[in-house]
């Protein structure tokens, strides 16, 4: 079949794969290629076992794959073929040198720019899909224009706002799409071309067309605001535990103010995920770099509050279980950083489990999707760690259950049956306020929620 044009995405990960699948679904006249240097990932995209779990993704991939959606490791040939190239490679936090622990590590990003420069033989629109420091597009333009040649590159910023677990819904019905461009004739022309693609399924009024720098910074700001709400409610949860107030009542009362709104006010063991921490630290670095230490300290506190919340959770387990966890079995319910994903990047479960093992506890970890990643995350630890798919098996013989991911499945379990198989006194530490605390208390459990006074039988 003859396609109108070819779009390429370099980086077929959590963002690149689903985004290209949705574009392919809505634009059958366009050939869509997702390319990655990782052959295992590409093989998985071509198989029945996709490399990531997202509700609804498999159906969309299966419908478009081989029709107008293709996965490949041949990045060079795909660059030559495509007229629009999305770049969705990973941009982790730098772990070395200047800005270590804060700045974005742009090695994959720069590597991609150089690859594009090497293999492009016709004009291209380059679309920043990765989350990047403000003014990265400028650096990219400099690299792309570093060779005297006739090929022209126009760099756009099109940050992604999808959340894992709801990626397909977020891509299908985005709150907004940002397409930032240079305010030049060629910049606006490239912007219009990308707007046309999104118009296949996104209403025009939801497509914003700011300048490139505002688009880049909007993404960091959006993630910082979301994480800030979680840290704010978590700070209140600490006060609730001391005063007998209930954080869920407070979330409800505060969230009903239409100026504030109800979302992202769920107190928890802490936020995880590959992006919140990294993007806020990147924002902190930018503020410092531009001589704004007060602004930097303000945002850094969001991350510090999150670390405090994680450590408070472990401290509460230790305190309630008579100040020793040595040899005690803890059933860990959930390892993913949130429900409906197998992703464990920066999951609070990693910190909690490592701390529990330092206290010489034994762990039985269960999770419906994340056990392979959990096994990798804890591959280097010493101590007794079992992984089992069945939560009943995980809880049998345990002294405590620690709920670390808000999987619906855990609500539907028979807790009387679980209680009967556990060591006594039996504890539930509910890091997600997921379970019916009063009912569990009635069954005999000692229940320690987040942001509510502990419910103990002694
Ligand atoms: P990911 O690690 O899942 O995927 C990135 C992929 O890029 C990897 O498969 C890697 O092999 C590939 N890659 C790296 N260098 C390459 C190269 N030179 N050529 C080809 N492939 C290359 O990362 P992700 O979660 O998809 O995130 C990508 C970007 O999107 C990040 O900047 C992230 O901040 C941002 N983002 C992520 C999410 C999310 O929910 N995960 C949401 C919004 C934005
Ligand atoms: C987040 C943003 O929501 C996306 O808009 C953004 O595109 C993405 O980061 C990114 O840039 O990577 P994601 O990390 O996938 O998406 O998931 P969220 O739903 O935001 O949850 C993040 C963490 O916060 C999870 O650990 C979740 O359990 C926790 N959380 C969320 C709370 O503890 N309380 C809440 O009220 C909400």
């Amino acid at each position: 079949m003859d396609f109108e044009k070819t779009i390429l995405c370099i980086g077929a990960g959590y963002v690149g794969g689903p985004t290209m699948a949705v574009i392919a679904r809505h634009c059958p006249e366009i050939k869509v290629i997702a390319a990655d240097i990782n052959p295992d990932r590409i093989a998985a995209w071509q198989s029945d076992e996709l490399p990531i779990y997202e509700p609804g993704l498999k159906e969309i991939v299966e419908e478009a794959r081989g029709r107008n959606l293709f996965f490949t490791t041949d990045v060079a040939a795909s660059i030559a073929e495509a007229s629009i190239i999305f770049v969705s490679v990973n941009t982790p936090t730098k772990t070395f040198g200047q800005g270590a622990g804060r700045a974005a590590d742009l090695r994959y990003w720069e590597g991609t720019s150089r690859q594009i420069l090497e293999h492009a033989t016709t004009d291209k629109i380059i679309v920043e899909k990765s989350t990047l420091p403000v003014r990265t597009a400028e650096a990219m333009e400099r690299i792309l224009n570093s060779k005297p040649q006739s090929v022209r590159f126009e760099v756009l910023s099109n940050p992604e706002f999808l959340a894992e677990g709801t990626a397909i819904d977020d891509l299908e019905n985005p709150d907004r799409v940002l397409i930032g461009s240079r305010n030049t004739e060629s910049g606006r022309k490239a912007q219009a071309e990308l707007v046309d693609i999104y118009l296949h399924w996104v209403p025009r009024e939801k497509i914003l067309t700011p300048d490139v720098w505002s688009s880049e910074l909007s993404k960091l700001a959006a993630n910082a605001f979301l994480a800030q709400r979680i840290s704010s409610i978590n700070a209140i949860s600490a006060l609730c535990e001391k005063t007998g107030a209930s954080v869920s009542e407070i979330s409800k009362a505060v969230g009903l103010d239409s100026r504030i709104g109800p979302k992202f006010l769920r107190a928890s063991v802490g936020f995880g995920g590959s992006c919140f921490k990294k993007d806020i630290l990147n924002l902190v670095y930018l503020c410092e770099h531009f001589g704004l230490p007060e602004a930097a300290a303000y945002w850094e506190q969001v991350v510090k509050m999150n670390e405090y919340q994680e450590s408070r959770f472990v401290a509460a387990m230790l305190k309630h279980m008579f100040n020793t966890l040595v040899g005690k079995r803890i059933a860990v319910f959930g390892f993913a950083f949130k429900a409906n994903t197998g992703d464990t990047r920066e999951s609070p479960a990693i910190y909690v489990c490592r701390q529990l093992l330092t206290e010489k506890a034994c762990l039985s970890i269960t999770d419906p999707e994340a056990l392979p990643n959990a096994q990798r995350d804890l591959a280097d630890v010493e101590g007794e760690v079992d992984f089992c798919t069945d939560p009943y098996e995980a809880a049998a013989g345990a002294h405590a259950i620690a709920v670390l991911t808000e999987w619906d499945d855990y609500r539907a379990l028979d807790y009387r049956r679980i209680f009967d198989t556990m060591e006594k006194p039996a504890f539930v530490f509910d890091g997600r306020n997921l379970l019916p605390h009063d009912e569990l208390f009635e069954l005999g459990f000692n229940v320690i929620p987040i942001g509510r006074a502990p419910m103990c039988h002694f």
Side-chain angles (χ1 to χ4, degrees):
M1 166 167 177
D2 282 341
F3 293 104
E4 231 172 59
K5 64 174 92 170
T6 300
I7 289 180
L8 163 67
C9 182
I10 303 182
Y14 283 87
V15 169
T19 309
M20 289 306 111
V22 169
I23 292 181
R25 176 189 207 187
H26 291 284
C27 308
E29 76 284 10
I30 296 176
K31 179 174 176 184
V32 180
I33 308 173
D36 205 290
I37 39 172
N38 180 340
D40 294 339
R41 229 173 198 184
I42 290 302
W45 279 116
Q46 287 163 335
S47 77
D48 286 342
E49 287 288 321
L50 300 186
I52 58 174
Y53 169 71
E54 277 297 335
L57 174 64
K58 199 160 183 242
E59 293 76 3
I60 295 181
V61 169
E62 281 174 355
E63 184 199 312
R65 196 168 51 191
R67 181 192 68 194
N68 67 328
L69 176 64
F70 303 90
F71 296 95
T72 181
T73 49
D74 194 347
V75 183
S78 309
I79 290 172
E81 184 181 341
S83 59
I84 301 181
I85 302 177
F86 288 76
V87 184
S88 185
V89 298
N90 31 333
T91 50
T93 304
K94 214 175 156 193
T95 53
F96 53 88
Q98 195 177 322
R102 287 166 186 236
D105 182 346
L106 296 176
R107 75 173 94 173
Y108 307 103
W109 182 259
E110 186 182 328
T112 314
S113 311
R114 291 186 188 280
Q115 252 176 321
I116 294 173
L117 182 59
E118 190 184 341
H119 300 290
T121 48
T122 52
D123 293 355
K124 314 274 176 207
I125 296 173
I126 311 299
V127 185
E128 294 181 341
K129 198 46 143 168
S130 300
T131 303
L132 293 159
V134 58
R135 297 200 85 90
T136 302
E138 194 173 35
M140 187 161 211
E141 278 168 0
R142 272 207 224 121
I143 295 172
L144 291 173
N145 294 319
S146 61
K147 255 200 218 162
Q149 57 175 340
S150 53
V151 177
R152 287 187 48 81
F153 298 99
E154 200 59 52
V155 181
L156 301 175
S157 161
N158 174 220
E160 184 48 61
F161 296 97
L162 68 80
E164 288 177 31
T166 53
I168 296 304
D169 198 34
D170 295 339
L171 286 165
E172 290 283 352
N173 306 294
D175 287 344
R176 75 307 207 186
V177 168
L178 248 64
I179 302 176
S181 76
R182 288 275 199 183
N183 194 15
T184 57
E185 199 189 326
S186 58
R188 283 191 299 271
K189 190 164 164 269
Q191 187 180 52
E193 198 172 331
L194 191 53
V195 168
D196 276 346
I197 289 173
Y198 278 101
L199 277 176
H200 282 73
W201 77 100
V202 181
R204 182 65 187 86
E205 63 276 14
K206 288 194 172 184
I207 303 176
L208 309 183
T209 50
D211 62 277
V212 191
W213 322 134
S214 305
S215 175
E216 288 177 331
L217 191 51
S218 296
K219 172 64 196 175
L220 291 182
N223 271 1
F225 275 52
L226 289 169
Q228 181 205 41
R229 284 173 72 98
I230 304 170
S231 279
S232 297
I233 198 68
N234 282 345
I236 296 294
S237 77
L239 190 55
C240 287
E241 288 162 29
K242 295 281 182 201
T243 57
S246 160
V247 78
S248 45
E249 294 297 336
I250 293 170
S251 296
K252 201 194 293 170
V254 171
L256 278 171
D257 185 324
S258 59
R259 294 167 301 175
I260 297 174
K263 294 185 179 164
F264 269 68
L265 290 179
R266 271 181 291 117
S268 67
V269 55
F271 60 73
S274 61
C275 293
F276 277 176
K277 184 173 168 193
K278 120 178 134 58
D279 291 348
I280 296 170
L281 291 177
N282 188 203
L283 187 62
V284 169
Y285 180 73
L286 286 170
C287 292
E288 279 169 352
H289 175 79
F290 288 103
L292 305 167
E294 288 80 4
Y298 176 77
W299 287 114
E300 191 169 16
Q301 195 56 32
V302 173
V303 174
K304 285 189 181 159
M305 185 62 224
N306 198 51
E307 289 165 354
Y308 171 63
Q309 193 73 353
E310 290 175 342
S311 68
R312 259 173 22 80
F313 186 80
V314 177
M317 290 186 76
L318 188 57
K319 183 183 123 197
H320 285 284
M321 295 175 76
F322 318 109
N323 291 310
T324 175
L325 299 177
V326 179
K328 290 182 182 167
R329 179 157 295 280
I330 315 276
V332 175
F333 277 21
F335 202 89
F337 81 96
K338 63 187 274 195
N340 296 320
T341 175
D343 194 353
T344 60
R345 290 178 291 177
E346 297 292 339
S347 176
I350 299 175
Y351 171 85
V352 170
C353 288
R354 284 179 178 271
Q355 286 305 111
L356 294 176
L357 288 166
T358 307
E359 294 292 342
K360 302 199 184 300
C362 311
L363 305 183
S364 297
I365 301 174
T366 183
D367 189 292
E369 294 292 339
L371 287 187
N373 281 333
Q375 269 160 319
R376 271 192 290 274
D377 293 331
L378 298 178
D380 62 320
V381 294
E382 284 177 17
E384 201 185 315
V385 189
D386 297 329
F387 299 91
C388 45
T389 45
D390 180 4
Y392 292 105
E393 197 187 309
H399 292 77
I401 296 170
V403 180
L404 300 184
T405 311
E406 69 279 26
W407 286 105
D408 269 344
D409 311 23
Y410 301 145
R411 267 201 208 116
L413 298 175
D414 177 350
Y415 282 93
R416 178 177 298 282
R417 176 178 156 199
I418 287 178
F419 181 76
D420 288 343
T421 66
M422 285 178 67
E423 291 288 329
K424 308 293 175 326
F427 292 85
V428 170
F429 296 90
D430 190 350
R432 297 289 180 173
N433 285 345
L434 178 77
L435 303 180
H437 299 149
D438 295 332
E439 279 172 40
L440 294 186
F441 183 70
E442 289 299 312
L443 287 175
F445 284 103
N446 299 296
V447 184
I448 293 85
I450 298 278
R452 184 179 170 190
M455 304 156 77
C456 293
H457 291 281
F458 44 82

